[in-house]
Amino acid sequence: MDEQWMTGQTSLSLGLNVGRPTARRGAPPVTKVLVEEDFMSSKKNHEVEALEAELRRVGEENRMLSDMLRALVAKYSDLQGKVSGMMAAAAAANNQQSLSTSEGGSAASPSRKRARSDSLDTAGRNPSPPLAAAGSGVFAVSVNVSPDQAECTSVHEPCDSKRVRADDVKASRVSKLYVHADPSDLSLVVKDGYQWRKYGQKVTKDNPCPRAYFRCSFAPSCQVKKKVQRSADDKTVLVATYDGDHNHAPPPKQQGSGGRKRGGAAVLHVSPAPVLVQEQRKHEASTADQVADRKNLVEQMAATLTRDPGFKAALVSALSGRIPVA
DNA sequence: CGTTTTTGACCAGCGC
DNA sequence: GCGCTGGTCAAAAACG
């Protein structure tokens, strides 16, 4: 990170009082010390000076962290806009390319192979889960990437590509969804508007929380799979990994279909949906709406994060080791 | 009774 | 070849 973006930001009232309250409480009032303890005054003075210096340093650090967080949010917003623009451009380019080569082409690249297999069920396909609107303070971020990139885009999981098989690469896209769930809710259920049937659960090596495996139960032919696991870092965050695309329209909004209770978290989908050729025009028409939605979401996420004392603590601990103390 | 969840067993890929 | 690990299967249990 360069310094400029940090210094450009000046005020953000986050209440990041890093260590300040305890320092204050630990130090007796200066005047009292000076009056009552003459013989120790010089020693106490030193302590007070040290504490004041520490206080100033912590205050400065507090301000710096606030600035960094603000800049981070601003940069995130900016990058999100750029990424969506690039994805739209790339999709448009792919659209043109596939249109020019899809008929009668013999030298099929891997990506074209996938596109062809996808085309079998392209009609009526819904590219990404129609995630339900979030409740207040609940958010999720989804990243749509190619399968081999997917493992590296997660903040919560280490890059681990050894399990990426050839047929996985050939398979359809992978997207990740981060859902802020109630910590007291132990279920691994992410409400995303589709019906899922759990077919397995496993405890993985890198995370003590079990990982649940789901298949789409709405359409038997639908090959979409979903893995849900709590983040190892933050147990309140559910990480849902979607593997593939639904080949059917989303089910009508169910109020607990089948009568079964559906626990879990409300989510909010942030990412641009993976756009297929046939849906490209529709997508472009709604790009303006999506940009506006993303802006709102970024603001909502920032508000959520800044309200969360746990996030502040984690941010402070994460950054404290990286900021050189004078 | 049909559907979903649970859970131990099984399988395949990978590293040593 | 062996052990480890992630993913899937399938029978039994649970649920509405």
Side-chain angles (χ1 to χ4, degrees), chain A residues 132-150:
Chain A
S136 61
V138 183
F139 69 91
V141 177
S142 150
V143 183
N144 291 299
V145 291
S146 62
D148 52 336
Q149 288 173 308

Side-chain angles (χ1 to χ4, degrees), chain A residues 102-165:
Chain A
S102 61
E103 300 298 327
S106 58
S109 66
S111 61
R112 278 199 53 220
K113 263 189 183 173
R114 208 196 85 187
R116 181 183 289 183
S117 67
D118 280 352
S119 70
L120 292 174
D121 54 3
T122 305
R125 166 177 297 198
N126 194 311
S128 83
L131 299 168
S136 61
V138 183
F139 69 91
V141 177
S142 150
V143 183
N144 291 299
V145 291
S146 62
D148 52 336
Q149 288 173 308
E151 299 296 324
C152 298
T153 54
S154 168
V155 189
H156 302 282
E157 293 178 33
C159 285
D160 182 6
S161 58
K162 69 179 180 181
R163 287 273 159 193
V164 178
R165 290 183 239 164

Side-chain angles (χ1 to χ4, degrees), chain A residues 18 57 61 64-65 68 313-325:
Chain A
V18 186
R57 186 186 67 78
E61 196 175 307
M64 208 159 79
L65 285 170
M68 285 174 69
L315 183 65
V316 166
S317 67
L319 290 175
S320 60
R322 299 174 185 236
I323 300 173
V325 178

Side-chain angles (χ1 to χ4, degrees), chain A residues 1-324:
Chain A
M1 284 190 196
D2 57 344
E3 301 264 334
Q4 204 171 7
W5 66 272
M6 284 169 51
T7 54
Q9 319 292 331
T10 51
S11 67
L12 177 65
S13 176
L14 296 176
L16 283 170
N17 299 315
V18 186
R20 188 194 300 238
T22 52
R24 260 258 192 265
R25 273 196 294 272
V30 176
T31 53
K32 195 173 182 180
V33 171
L34 291 176
V35 171
E36 292 180 0
E37 308 284 352
D38 272 357
F39 69 97
M40 289 185 71
S41 61
S42 68
K43 188 182 173 187
K44 293 276 184 185
N45 268 337
H46 276 118
E47 283 185 13
V48 168
E49 280 174 15
L51 282 172
E52 284 179 345
E54 176 73 6
L55 207 59
R56 277 194 295 273
R57 186 186 67 78
V58 169
E60 184 64 21
E61 196 175 307
N62 185 4
R63 193 184 60 78
M64 208 159 79
L65 285 170
S66 301
D67 292 347
M68 285 174 69
L69 185 58
R70 181 192 174 107
L72 199 66
V73 170
K75 281 213 158 193
Y76 174 78
S77 176
D78 186 30
L79 282 173
Q80 186 84 10
K82 284 181 183 172
V83 165
S84 64
M86 287 168 66
M87 286 180 71
N94 280 344
N95 186 9
Q96 285 205 334
Q97 199 172 11
S98 66
L99 282 177
S100 63
T101 59
S102 61
E103 300 298 327
S106 58
S109 66
S111 61
R112 278 199 53 220
K113 263 189 183 173
R114 208 196 85 187
R116 181 183 289 183
S117 67
D118 280 352
S119 70
L120 292 174
D121 54 3
T122 305
R125 166 177 297 198
N126 194 311
S128 83
L131 299 168
S136 61
V138 183
F139 69 91
V141 177
S142 150
V143 183
N144 291 299
V145 291
S146 62
D148 52 336
Q149 288 173 308
E151 299 296 324
C152 298
T153 54
S154 168
V155 189
H156 302 282
E157 293 178 33
C159 285
D160 182 6
S161 58
K162 69 179 180 181
R163 287 273 159 193
V164 178
R165 290 183 239 164
D167 53 346
D168 283 340
V169 174
K170 188 176 65 183
S172 49
R173 71 207 85 228
V174 172
S175 69
K176 288 205 170 197
L177 183 68
Y178 299 93
V179 183
H180 194 165
D182 186 352
S184 62
D185 183 7
L186 297 177
S187 67
L188 290 169
V189 177
V190 174
K191 278 193 205 167
D192 54 16
Y194 283 99
Q195 292 177 5
W196 299 95
R197 187 173 66 84
K198 188 177 180 181
Y199 66 90
Q201 180 166 317
K202 207 57 173 188
V203 176
T204 56
K205 185 185 167 190
D206 55 345
N207 192 336
C209 301
R211 173 185 297 170
Y213 299 89
F214 296 89
R215 257 197 279 263
C216 181
S217 65
F218 185 70
S221 62
C222 184
Q223 296 297 311
V224 183
K225 288 172 189 171
K226 177 172 83 167
K227 290 179 281 190
V228 180
Q229 188 173 31
R230 288 189 183 274
S231 168
D233 297 335
D234 187 351
K235 300 267 191 296
T236 66
V237 174
L238 287 173
V239 183
T241 305
Y242 293 89
D243 188 359
D245 296 322
H246 293 276
N247 60 0
H248 57 86
K253 272 201 174 172
Q254 80 240 19
Q255 312 278 8
S257 81
R260 278 186 183 264
K261 62 173 179 182
R262 308 262 174 200
V267 297
L268 217 154
H269 200 204
V270 182
S271 77
V275 180
L276 293 165
V277 171
Q278 294 184 340
E279 305 215 343
Q280 182 64 31
R281 284 191 192 143
K282 209 192 308 177
H283 167 77
E284 285 171 356
S286 61
T287 297
D289 288 344
Q290 289 187 359
V291 168
D293 285 345
R294 274 195 287 275
K295 270 191 174 176
N296 286 336
L297 276 161
V298 167
E299 288 170 10
Q300 192 178 356
M301 287 169 64
T304 302
L305 289 173
T306 53
R307 273 199 302 267
D308 185 357
F311 172 77
K312 286 179 194 172
L315 183 65
V316 166
S317 67
L319 290 175
S320 60
R322 299 174 185 236
I323 300 173

